[in-house]
């Protein structure tokens, strides 16, 4: 019996863990897509409501929404993209890092596609909190019209509190509100189920014929409506980006057992409710609730939108860390807010930027109706980018032929491209906002990447090969530097060249330590690097040794902690007798640098704003020596 019960107990434990992770993913992964019913159907009705809405149009709209969820979210993201992982991690930059390993002549194209997707996600992270919280708080107008003028101030207070508590950690927010998201989906599905009985003809929406007929009959208006219909699938990119937090199976289980059924029931319920009560088109979601339940529904919706906002803010933090480690952005301060979950991080600079961006959107647009027009472009653009990168993934990682990969993805690409075109029609109504946000971040990332390449190329021309330097310095001569006790570690990005700090130390101080280590820190194109592969050692002479540390793009580059791993190689570092030498460069713009003058200025500004390397690499502050030089770029 004991032999039989052990596997059973193990299976039971795995089941409990799967359920726990699936419930957790409902709060984090599906927070954004779960708030779409607040405004998606309402916004889709507006373009066709000026001359009255027919039953066929309502059924067609609901059919478009259900099949958008089925094709884009279920098939593309839940069933396919969750398998396109980089050692368990998802997201645009994670996929880009995976593809860069096997890129054959497409590096530049992949790079620009990747940073475009990342920049569009940042725009999404600004618009989602503003739109979601505004749409929830606007439910107060139905409780009592007197509260209409307080919608924006209440939304601002909620958003300010949300950004203020980010430094406490996402765990503090998600642990408190997490179970509320499950209640939200259950209530949303239940109220939809209740109102389906208002008009059972709404079940015709499961037939895609009505969706196609709607588009064919409506013409240009149908294309405009698609921009609003796409609001039903917003949050799918966050679903992919949060893959590493929960794993593929829990996210899939949550979608098929809770999220997809609840969304489908709610949209069907809204459609049936409007078929029975055409006057409810102004706000079908909240009007479905009886008056006694309206205020609790608004409160629950507000809590759900806070969680949705938390999901994209956390995603922006994770994406920025990936961009920094992959060399697309300058180093920034990164704080861990959990001792057990490495993914829970806080970036104060990003948090401040998002906060000001969200506040500006709330004050400029003032309502969810106005802001909805600005929303779709960033999301559809990011989805098109992901589909293009998926083509390369199928060819290079799954070894599909180009024809098979194109055949599989072309229908999806065309569908998303139509959605993107529909949203581009709203550029003049506010759609320019995400375009400007994305363009700004693309320029910043491109400038930083290009500038660092130019800087590296320029410094290599004046660098002295490390092997030649060691031979010359170890010759016995009267000009040899004085040997001093202790250990010196010189950080450099190029292990073949002599670190500038080492040259300046000998030039100005005329000393050389007994033991000298040249340390190079590299970022792998994988999320994490096993500890046994973290460090490597290569002796160069009796006094010089080359060290290398390798970190994944999802890891904190803690040099002080990683030094302990060298013990297996026979090296033991006494921090109190070890000095860390860093080269500090003052950059001077040069008209012949290869970049326009304004881009030179931008690169220098970014470099000056970067966090001190000693803080970023977690070096002991009282053991760091910085030696500076001027570099014309």
């Amino acid at each position: 019996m004991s032999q039989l019960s052990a596997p059973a107990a193990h299976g039971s434990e795995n089941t409990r863990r799967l359920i726990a992770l699936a419930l957790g993913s409902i709060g984090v992964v599906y927070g954004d897509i779960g708030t779409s019913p607040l405004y998606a159907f309402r916004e889709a009705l507006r373009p066709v409501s000026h001359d009255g809405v027919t039953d066929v149009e309502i059924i067609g709209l609901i059919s478009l929404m259900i099949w958008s969820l089925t094709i884009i979210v279920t098939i593309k993201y839940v069933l396919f993209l969750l398998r396109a992982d980089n050692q368990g991690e998802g997201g645009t930059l994670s996929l880009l890092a995976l593809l860069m390993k096997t890129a054959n002549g497409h590096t530049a194209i992949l790079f620009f596609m990747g940073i475009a997707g990342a920049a569009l996600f940042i725009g999404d992270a600004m618009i989602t909190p503003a739109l979601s919280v505004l749409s929830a708080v606007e439910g107060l107008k139905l409780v009592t019209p007197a509260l209409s003028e307080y919608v924006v101030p209440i939304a601002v207070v909620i958003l300010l509190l949300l950004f203020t508590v980010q430094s406490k950690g996402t765990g503090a927010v998600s642990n408190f509100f997490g179970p509320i998201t499950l209640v939200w989906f259950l209530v949303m599905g239940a109220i939809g189920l209740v109102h389906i009985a208002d008009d059972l003809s709404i079940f015709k929406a499961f037939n895609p014929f009505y969706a196609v007929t709607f588009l064919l009959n409506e013409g240009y208006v149908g294309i405009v409506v698609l921009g609003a219909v796409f609001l039903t699938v917003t949050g799918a990119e966050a679903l992919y980006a949060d893959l590493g937090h929960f794993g593929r199976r829990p996210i899939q289980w949550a979608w098929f057992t809770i999220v997809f059924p609840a969304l489908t029931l709610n949209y069907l319920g809204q459609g049936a409710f409007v078929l029975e009560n055409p006057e409810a088109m102004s706000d079908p979601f909240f009007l479905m609730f009886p008056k006694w339940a309206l205020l609790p529904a608004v409160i629950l919706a507000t809590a759900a939108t806070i969680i949705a906002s938390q999901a994209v803010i956390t995603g922006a933090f994770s994406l920025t860390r990936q961009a920094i480690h992959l060399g697309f952005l300058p180093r920034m301060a990164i704080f861990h807010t959990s001792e057990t979950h490495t993914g829970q991080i806080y970036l104060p600079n990003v948090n401040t930027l998002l906060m000001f961006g969200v506040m500006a959107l709330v004050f400029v647009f003032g309502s969810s109706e106005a802001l909805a027009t600005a929303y779709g472009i960033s999301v559809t653009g990011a989805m098109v980018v992901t589909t293009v990168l998926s083509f390369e993934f199928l060819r290079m990682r799954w070894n599909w032929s180009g024809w098979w990969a194109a055949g599989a993805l072309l229908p999806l690409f065309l569908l998303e491209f139509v959605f993107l075109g529909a949203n581009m029609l709203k550029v003049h109504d506010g759609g320019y906002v995400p375009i400007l946000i994305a363009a700004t971040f693309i320029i910043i990332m491109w400038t930083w990447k290009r500038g660092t390449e130019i800087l590296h190329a320029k410094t290599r021309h004046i660098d002295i090969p490390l092997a030649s330097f060691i031979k010359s310095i170890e010759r016995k001569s009267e000009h040899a530097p004085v040997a001093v006790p202790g250990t010196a570690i010189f950080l450099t990005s190029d292990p073949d060249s002599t670190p500038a700090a080492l040259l300046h130390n000998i030039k100005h101080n005329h000393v050389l330590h007994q033991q000298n280590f040249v340390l190079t820190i590299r970022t792998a194109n994988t999320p994490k690097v096993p500890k046994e592969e973290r460090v490597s050692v290569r002796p160069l002479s009796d006094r010089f040794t080359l060290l290398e540390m390798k970190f994944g793009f999802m890891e904190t580059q803690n040099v002080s902690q990683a030094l302990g791993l060298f013990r297996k190689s026979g090296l033991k570092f006494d921090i109190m007798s070890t000095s860390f030498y860093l080269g500090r460069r003052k950059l001077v713009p040069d008209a012949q640098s290869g970049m326009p003058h304004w881009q030179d200025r931008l690169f220098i500004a970014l470099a000056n704003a970067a966090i001190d390397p000693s803080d970023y690499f977690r070096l002991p502050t009282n053991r760091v020596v910085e030696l500076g030089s001027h570099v014309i770029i």
Side-chain angles (χ1 to χ4, degrees):
M1 287 292 292
S2 61
Q3 291 180 342
L4 293 173
S5 61
H10 183 66
S12 177
E13 178 62 30
N14 286 341
T15 302
R16 284 196 295 270
R17 176 173 171 78
L18 176 63
I19 293 173
L21 287 171
L23 290 176
S25 71
I26 289 173
V28 176
V29 176
Y30 294 112
D32 189 2
I33 202 168
T35 56
S36 295
L38 285 168
Y39 46 78
F41 185 49
R42 180 192 71 196
E43 297 304 318
L45 284 168
R46 292 190 191 281
V48 295
S49 61
H50 62 279
D51 57 351
V53 182
T54 66
D55 291 2
V56 174
E57 287 176 328
I58 291 172
I59 294 171
L61 281 175
I62 298 299
S63 184
L64 279 170
M65 292 177 167
I66 291 174
W67 282 101
S68 296
L69 287 170
T70 302
I71 296 172
I72 293 179
V73 182
T74 305
I75 295 176
K76 176 186 175 181
Y77 283 92
V78 177
L79 294 179
F80 166 55
L81 271 181
L82 290 185
R83 297 177 183 273
D85 65 295
N86 189 346
Q87 293 189 4
E89 292 290 339
T92 304
L93 289 185
S94 183
L95 182 59
L96 174 65
L98 181 68
L99 297 177
M100 294 287 274
K101 299 177 189 177
T102 52
N104 297 320
H106 306 303
T107 305
I109 297 174
L110 288 175
F111 168 71
F112 277 104
M113 292 298 292
I115 65 172
L120 288 164
F121 185 85
I122 295 294
D124 184 18
M126 285 188 182
I127 299 175
T128 293
L131 174 61
S132 298
V133 173
L134 271 174
S135 62
V137 177
E138 281 170 353
L140 291 173
K141 294 189 292 186
L142 301 176
V143 177
T144 169
L147 293 174
S148 298
E149 61 187 54
Y150 297 104
V151 167
V152 170
I154 292 173
V156 167
V157 170
I158 291 172
L159 289 166
L160 280 174
L161 289 173
L162 178 63
F163 283 104
T164 301
V165 301
Q166 290 303 310
S167 60
K168 306 297 182 183
T170 58
V173 178
S174 60
N175 288 340
F176 183 76
F177 286 114
I180 298 177
T181 312
L182 175 60
V183 176
W184 167 251
F185 278 109
L186 294 176
V187 169
M188 192 164 56
I191 195 66
L193 182 61
V194 167
H195 283 283
I196 286 175
D198 290 349
D199 194 325
L200 294 178
S201 66
I202 195 64
F203 282 117
K204 294 178 182 177
F206 284 116
N207 186 346
F209 170 80
Y210 287 91
V212 176
T213 302
F214 175 86
L215 293 177
L216 294 177
N217 291 339
E218 294 296 332
Y220 175 78
V221 174
I223 300 297
V224 175
V225 167
L226 279 179
V229 169
F230 198 81
L231 295 172
T232 59
V233 298
T234 56
E237 279 294 315
L239 179 158
Y240 182 40
D242 285 324
L243 172 61
H245 292 286
F246 299 96
R248 176 167 54 88
R249 286 190 67 209
I251 294 175
Q252 290 176 332
W253 271 77
W255 174 254
F256 286 113
T257 60
I258 300 292
V259 181
F260 192 26
L263 291 172
T264 303
L265 288 172
N266 191 266
Y267 285 124
L268 288 171
Q270 288 193 51
F273 182 59
V274 173
L275 284 173
E276 179 68 19
N277 305 281
E279 68 279 1
M281 286 191 298
S282 60
D283 202 333
F285 180 85
F286 282 118
L287 289 174
M288 283 197 298
F289 290 89
K291 286 189 176 181
W292 62 266
L294 191 54
L295 184 58
V298 171
I299 295 172
L300 182 61
T302 304
T305 56
I306 290 172
I307 298 166
S309 304
Q310 180 64 47
V312 291
I313 292 169
T314 304
F317 290 163
S318 297
L319 183 141
T320 304
R321 177 172 68 173
Q322 292 178 30
I324 291 169
H325 288 172
L326 291 171
F328 300 161
L329 287 173
R331 301 185 189 107
M332 301 180 196
I334 301 174
F335 299 100
H336 284 264
T337 57
S338 171
E339 295 180 358
T340 56
H341 295 86
T342 58
Q344 294 187 13
I345 55 176
Y346 169 65
L347 282 74
N349 291 344
V350 176
N351 191 62
T352 302
L353 178 67
L354 289 177
M355 182 179 70
F356 281 111
V358 170
M359 292 302 155
L361 290 172
V362 170
F363 284 117
V364 170
F365 287 90
S367 71
S368 62
E369 177 187 348
L371 194 53
T373 60
Y375 193 33
I377 291 177
S378 60
V379 183
T380 49
M383 286 185 174
V384 169
V385 166
T386 307
T387 300
V388 174
L389 292 179
S390 297
F391 172 77
E392 194 72 7
F393 174 84
L394 288 176
R395 288 199 319 115
M396 305 307 300
R397 308 303 297 188
W398 284 8
N399 298 317
W400 287 27
S401 70
W403 288 108
W404 276 105
L409 293 176
L410 185 60
L412 186 63
F413 175 80
L414 291 176
L415 176 62
E416 291 178 342
F417 199 77
V418 169
F419 274 124
L420 178 60
N423 279 283
M424 291 298 289
L425 296 174
K426 301 184 292 187
V427 168
H428 63 286
D429 289 328
Y432 60 87
V433 172
I435 294 176
L436 289 177
I437 294 173
T440 300
F441 282 98
I442 289 172
I443 291 171
I444 288 173
M445 287 189 276
W446 171 48
T447 298
W448 183 255
K449 182 73 173 176
R450 179 70 181 133
T452 51
E453 289 173 351
I454 292 174
L455 180 61
H456 181 68
K458 287 205 170 191
T459 53
R460 277 192 70 89
H461 289 309
I462 59 174
D463 284 345
I464 301 172
L466 184 58
S468 302
F469 170 79
I470 293 174
K471 285 182 181 178
S472 65
I473 204 68
E474 293 194 337
R475 294 193 190 114
K476 301 291 184 181
S477 72
E478 58 183 21
H479 300 294
V482 177
V484 295
T487 301
I489 297 178
F490 297 90
L491 274 71
T492 180
S493 59
D494 184 4
D496 297 322
S497 301
T498 309
L502 173 56
L503 294 173
H504 286 302
N505 190 41
I506 293 176
K507 178 181 179 181
H508 297 289
N509 299 326
H510 309 290
V511 297
L512 190 66
H513 288 72
Q514 288 178 337
Q515 289 295 318
N516 299 274
F517 296 92
V518 177
L519 173 61
T520 304
I521 302 168
R522 300 196 183 281
T523 301
N525 281 341
T526 54
K528 296 180 182 178
V529 173
K531 282 190 176 182
E532 56 271 17
E533 300 175 16
R534 173 87 68 214
V535 298
S536 62
V537 180
R538 180 157 63 94
L540 300 176
S541 69
D542 291 339
R543 300 171 71 181
F544 284 88
T545 303
L546 194 62
L547 306 179
E548 182 178 279
M549 291 182 184
K550 190 181 292 184
F551 297 90
F553 59 77
M554 292 292 289
E555 296 180 299
T556 299
Q557 300 184 351
N558 192 325
V559 171
S560 298
Q561 192 178 72
L563 285 175
L565 299 175
F566 285 106
R567 290 179 180 175
K568 290 185 178 179
S569 303
L571 299 177
K572 187 176 180 181
F573 293 94
D574 179 10
I575 293 296
M576 297 313 296
S577 62
T578 300
S579 297
F580 295 86
Y581 285 83
L582 302 175
R584 171 73 70 174
R585 291 167 173 164
K586 180 174 177 58
L587 304 179
V588 179
D590 176 18
Q592 308 301 318
S593 71
M595 291 195 300
H597 186 68
W598 67 267
Q599 211 166 10
D600 278 341
R601 291 289 185 183
L602 176 59
F603 176 72
I604 292 172
L606 292 171
N608 291 336
I611 186 177
D612 191 282
S614 60
D615 294 330
Y616 186 80
F617 293 119
R618 304 295 199 273
L619 303 177
T621 53
N622 59 340
R623 306 300 306 171
V624 175
V625 179
E626 293 189 2
L627 299 170
S629 61
H630 279 66
V631 178
I632 298 176
I633 182 172

